[in-house]
Each structure stands twice: as structure tokens, then as C-alpha cells.
Amino acid sequence: MNDDMETEPMVSFGPSSNYVGSNNQQRRRRPAGSKPEKPRRQNSFSRDIGHAAAETYLITRLTFTLLRYLGLGYRWISRLVALGCYAMLLLPGFLQVAYYYFFSSQVRRSVVYGDQPRNRLDLHFPTNNDGPKPVVVFVTGGAWIIGYKAWGSLLGRQLAERDIIVACLDYRNFPQGTISDMVKDVSQGISFVFNNIADYGGDPNRIYLMGQSAGAHISSCALLEQAVKESTGESISWSTSHIKYYFGLSGGYNLLNLVDHCHNRGLYRSIFLSIMEGEESLPVFSPAVRIKDPSIRDASSLLPPIILFHGTSDYSIPSDASMAFADALQKVGAKPELVLYPGKSHTDLFLQVSHDWMALECLIQLID
């Protein structure tokens, strides 16, 4: 990876507006006069080791289950070898982040938000407790197959050091679940944050939603689905109007355009369609397509300001995906902004936003 720390993003169009969410959302609050719960260390070193072993076992078991679906073709073997070599190069950094994740007192791991096995989230806390903090809800990527809450540790650590609470959501992956399960899990996780984050020192009136890669797709589906429910008067447990901003990093928002692209990249068409519940479901789970439906036009006005980030050298999901989604949003009266990073790949962009001081400062100015 050759990240240029001086790279300036290109803003394509549409400055996002200042947005203040409503205060009418019903949520659980802590008793008056009580102090926010402080982040706690695990009771013992042995408990930390046991937790790490259990998480490793889960990932290993799901990996072997996935391989049974994919088969062991040459393309997958070559990509796994390439990924292993890339991981070895990043190992020193991984070890540092892993130590922080498992042993830092500023991380509260595996907070339960639902009744499914993967309905867990990690909370990354600032070091001080001087008042309610802004909150970023982060949905990790992973090709809808290997997403995991720990992948957000680097971003969580960097934002926590800048006085922001980060909630990294886990959700069911394929083959444990399909796209509707993933969207349901993410929506339930967002609801938990809205209704409980005050107990952890967060400000329920300053909540931001962020997704990366497949996580950007899933979280945008959850956001649009919630806006549709809200516009039709359905009972809801959280409101899109209370999201201050939505940040989408390297996301794919039109599945119809991704089927063949992903097939050529190694995520075979049969597997892709199994994840997305069949070809007939592709438009339903394509926010860039669904937002054009006249029957849900009222939902677009309920969406928060949206900022889409993409690298122009992204071959996993081309930057055209974010460009087309931003264009579709603008046409229905939403508030999109598109930020392109010249020469940045799929991985480069996430690492830059997670680690680059300038990129983080841009986000923090919006969050503050």
C-alpha cells in the first residue's frame, strides 16, 4: 500500500448542510444525577484469553463453513494466499491493534443488542468522562461473508482518542444469514445504540452512522428501509431524522451492477445471488435503485445528510457505485456529497480514513 498522506480528496458536488436532529425519539435514560458507566476491564487475564479463543473459534468455524460453499477452486486459493501474504506484511500493525482490542480498558467488547448469536457490538471509549460524547455507529465490511466487529478497532481507537465514542456492530454473515438478516441485525444494533448509549456516556442527540464496503451497503439499506417505515407511519424504534450524518466508505449501492463484477472478482454469481436472496431481490436491496421508486418519494426527505467516500482506483467496488448513488440521491432531493480520493484503492481509503490525521480531522469537524 502506498498511501500518500498529502493526498487531497476531490469533492464532486453538493456541500452537505448543517443538520440538527429532532429530540422527540423515545429512549431509555439513566437516573438523574447518576454518572455515565465507566469502561471496565475484564475481571482477569484468563477471561481475556478465553474470550479471544472463543472469538477465534467462531471465525475459524465460519471460514470452514464458507469454504464448503465456495469449493477450493484455483481462484479462491490464489486469493487466499495473496491475502495471507498481505496480512503478514501488516502483522506488526495488526498485533498492536489486537493488543489494544483485547486488553485496553477503553474497549467494552461484545455488548449484547439482540437475541441472535452475532448480535453483539464493541464500544470504544475516550479516556475522559467530561460530559456526553458524540457517537459513531460503524458497520464493518467483509464481502457480506467475513464481516466482524473487531475490524473496526483501528477506526475505533483513532476516533476514541479524539473524544468520540465508537460502536462497532457485528451482524450475521453468509452462510449464517442472508441480506435481509444482515439489514435486520444492523437496524436492531442502531436501535440499541439510540436507546442505550446515554447509559455509556454517549449523547443520543449526536449519533452518526458509518459503513465501509459491504457494511456501507447494508447500513444504507437499513437507513432507507427505516425512512420508508417512518414515512408510512409504521411503528419504529429509532428515527432516521435523529442521525446527524451518514458516511459511506467504498460502498456498493446497486447490486444489479455488482453481480457480474463480483463474479469476475471471485465472488461467484451463484454465491452472490444466494447472499442476496435471489435475482428478484436485487432491486429491493439496491438503495441506488430503490430510492428512485415514486412510491417511497416521501422517505427521501427523512434521510440525513449523506457523504460518500470512494477511491478512484478501487477495483473491488468501482467508484462509479458511489457516483451513481450520489446522483440518484440528489435527484430525489436528498443531501448527498461525494468525495473522491485520487489513486486510492478499496483498502487504501479505509486505512487512510482510519489512520490519516487529515482525513480524521475532516470527519471530526463534521461530528463536532
Side-chain angles (χ1 to χ4, degrees), residues 34-205:
S34 66
K35 296 181 178 179
E37 178 181 337
K38 296 181 179 180
R40 303 192 298 266
R41 290 184 63 91
Q42 298 292 337
N43 293 332
S44 66
F45 179 81
S46 61
R47 183 174 178 182
D48 285 328
I49 294 299
H51 182 84
E55 299 289 286
T56 302
Y57 170 75
L58 172 63
I59 294 172
T60 303
R61 180 170 60 83
L62 290 175
T63 298
F64 280 103
T65 303
L66 172 64
L67 289 176
R68 288 202 299 271
Y69 276 85
L70 298 176
L72 293 176
Y74 168 77
R75 185 180 296 180
W76 273 101
I77 292 175
S78 63
R79 292 188 185 280
L80 286 172
V81 170
L83 180 61
C85 293
Y86 183 67
M88 289 296 294
L89 293 174
L90 297 178
L91 186 59
F94 281 157
L95 291 176
Q96 184 180 16
V97 173
Y99 182 83
Y100 158 80
Y101 178 71
F102 285 111
F103 301 109
S104 173
S105 62
Q106 303 309 123
V107 181
R108 179 80 176 273
R109 298 189 306 275
S110 296
V111 177
V112 177
Y113 70 78
D115 57 5
Q116 295 297 323
R118 299 290 294 274
N119 288 175
R120 307 288 186 273
L121 60 84
D122 295 329
L123 292 171
H124 299 259
F125 293 97
T127 55
N128 67 74
N129 295 306
D130 57 348
K133 309 294 184 186
V135 181
V136 170
V137 180
F138 181 60
V139 185
T140 64
W144 305 276
I145 292 172
I146 56 171
Y148 185 54
K149 55 189 173 63
W151 303 163
S153 297
L154 178 59
L155 179 69
R157 181 180 184 179
Q158 296 295 329
L159 291 180
E161 288 176 354
R162 290 159 175 80
D163 223 26
I164 298 166
I165 293 176
V166 180
C168 294
L169 299 185
D170 205 5
Y171 54 90
R172 283 171 286 179
N173 287 192
F174 184 81
Q176 204 174 26
T178 54
I179 186 62
S180 60
D181 299 316
M182 301 176 202
V183 173
K184 179 180 178 181
D185 287 352
V186 166
S187 184
Q188 191 171 358
I190 296 170
S191 175
F192 177 89
V193 172
F194 265 111
N195 293 292
N196 294 275
I197 200 62
D199 296 335
Y200 297 94
D203 185 348
N205 294 314

Side-chain angles (χ1 to χ4, degrees), residues 2-22:
N2 294 317
D3 278 349
D4 183 357
M5 302 299 285
E6 300 299 323
T7 300
E8 292 290 337
M10 301 189 304
V11 181
S12 292
F13 61 78
S16 54
S17 62
N18 294 328
Y19 183 82
V20 180
S22 169

